[in-house]
Amino acid sequence: MPAEPDTFIEIVAYDWVPAAARGHVRDLRVRWALEEVGLRYRTRLIDVQNKPTAYYAEQPFGQVPAYREGDIHLFECGAIALHIAEKDERLMPRDPAGRARAVSWLFCALNSIDPFLTGMSVIRFNSGDAPWQDEARAVIAKPLERRLALLADALGARSWLEDRFTVGDLMMVATLRSLSFGTLAVPAAISDYVARGEARPAFQAALAAQLADLKPDREGVPA
Ligand SMILES: N[C@@H](CCC(=O)N[C@@H](CS)C(=O)NCC(=O)O)C(=O)O
């Protein structure tokens, strides 16, 4: 739900990324959370290849997303999603027990699944033509596949990680969908779970909004 420039929630995103990253940049997670609770926002787009120096004061590593809401300035998609979720029962159960589970799954996505994703992406983008890439990927894939199998067990026959959709599912689905499933043994329950999350109208709106903000591919820049 991108908004007119007078609204007070602002997220920082990129104005261009290579094709492979489109639909996966982490401002998507923030957009998705905002869409789920019907909050309007505006985007401030920066150049990933030429980041404004001042931006490092907002996000210490110069990454996106960053978030502003009045005098609240946040970075880290997990912290931002938690902040948004606390505003609305649709993402965060009001009962303490339900809230505790939602927060646990949010951290689980970021601490127990996301590090594998980061590992895969460091190999992909930082190892040049190193001949050991496939081997390194296989080293990460093995414990990741075990973790996905256990996650499928935890999900069981439910649609969501608990008895309803929460911010924990939002972060888990967003994290899982950025793994390249093609090369991994992924339980059907997990790919179905990701597809369920992606089918949510709020996810689709967030995805469309991210893609709409991205300029066409840059000539001469590899995807
Ligand atoms: N832990 C941060 C990671 C943010 C992150 O990795 N952002 C990526 C885009 S998805 C980025 O800005 N990459 C470019 C860079 O690191 O310079 C979060 O979850 O918000």
Side-chain angles (χ1 to χ4, degrees):
M1 202 174 286
E4 299 310 311
D6 59 344
T7 52
F8 64 94
I9 292 179
E10 178 182 82
I11 65 176
V12 182
Y14 292 132
D15 66 357
W16 174 91
V17 290
R22 287 164 189 250
H24 292 278
V25 191
R26 288 174 193 228
D27 57 278
L28 179 66
R29 302 170 183 199
V30 177
R31 294 175 192 259
W32 186 6
L34 291 168
E35 294 287 351
E36 288 285 352
V37 299
L39 281 177
R40 290 159 64 80
Y41 64 92
R42 69 181 175 215
T43 49
R44 177 158 44 100
L45 303 179
I46 62 170
D47 183 344
V48 65
Q49 294 179 311
N50 186 19
K51 296 172 186 168
T53 309
Y55 182 61
Y56 288 80
E58 291 181 60
Q59 212 288 2
F61 311 112
Q63 298 179 309
V64 304
Y67 177 100
R68 281 175 184 253
E69 183 187 324
D71 59 1
I72 295 173
H73 297 180
L74 285 158
F75 62 95
E76 287 293 336
C77 68
I80 302 169
L82 188 56
H83 171 78
I84 297 165
E86 298 287 17
K87 294 174 182 290
D88 200 295
E89 201 273 337
R90 283 171 287 187
L91 282 178
M92 185 67 88
R94 290 290 185 233
D95 64 296
R99 182 185 182 281
R101 298 295 293 175
V103 171
S104 297
W105 285 121
L106 170 73
F107 276 84
C108 173
L110 294 171
N111 280 352
S112 299
I113 304 293
D114 192 76
F116 293 99
L117 172 68
T118 304
M120 291 287 193
S121 105
V122 167
I123 294 168
R124 178 167 177 195
F125 295 110
N126 297 79
S127 57
D129 295 330
W132 43 259
Q133 288 184 30
D134 286 347
E135 212 175 315
R137 260 190 291 272
V139 167
I140 295 181
K142 206 164 175 208
L144 171 58
E145 285 171 351
R146 170 84 181 130
R147 210 151 269 198
L148 294 179
L150 291 171
L151 185 64
D153 290 348
L155 181 63
R158 286 189 306 276
S159 293
W160 307 113
L161 290 163
E162 297 294 323
D163 56 2
R164 47 154 292 187
F165 182 83
T166 73
V167 69
D169 293 296
L170 184 152
M171 197 55 70
M172 188 64 82
V173 167
T175 302
L176 290 168
R177 67 182 289 278
S178 288
L179 290 166
S180 46
F181 277 8
T183 55
L184 291 170
V186 180
I190 294 297
S191 32
D192 290 350
Y193 169 66
V194 171
R196 252 188 318 277
E198 289 179 332
R200 293 178 73 84
F203 173 85
Q204 290 298 324
L207 179 62
Q210 178 177 96
L211 297 177
D213 271 345
L214 294 169
K215 289 182 195 145
D217 236 348
R218 284 178 184 171
E219 220 157 290
V221 178

